[in-house]
Amino acid sequence: MALESGLAFDQDGKAFAGMGVDFADYDNDGWPDAFVNALANRRYALFRNGKGSFDDVSDSSGIGGITMRHSGWGTKMIDYDNDGWLDIFVAQGHVMDNIELTDPSLRYREPLLLMRNSAGKFRVVSQESGPAFRGTRSSLRRSG
């Protein structure tokens, strides 16, 4: 079904590891869309539901640029600010505890991610959302 509906591959036509997924109507058109997070060096994927067939809108929504260097796990679309648009929360962290030795640009411990949806365009608001989202060493020790 994923292949037929357009959910099997990312926008580059490549398969990817989906670590967490949620289905909800992020664009308020009445059709449930799909968000799938992935491992580092692969964009998280946002698929817009076009009445049963899905299009990858990761880059046009802003999610692709935000998430390229991160590894996501649990995720949920929620309207955290009660503006009528579903935002996206992701619990993040790399799968390899020694990733910083092999790729210094990546981190094993990553802060929580909260992306605010403004009419289908996303931006990071984690830093504005309290100490658990700031990714400081002390908040990572408490949460990780």
Side-chain angles (χ1 to χ4, degrees), residues 58-96:
S58 304
D59 283 346
S60 62
S61 68
I63 287 175
I66 292 169
T67 62
M68 182 61 126
R69 305 297 291 168
H70 300 285
S71 295
W73 295 92
T75 189
K76 186 69 180 161
M77 286 192 240
I78 57 168
D79 185 7
Y80 92 98
D81 55 1
N82 294 318
D83 67 353
W85 294 91
L86 292 177
D87 311 295
I88 299 176
F89 167 82
V90 182
Q92 302 184 120
H94 202 279
V95 66
M96 295 172 50

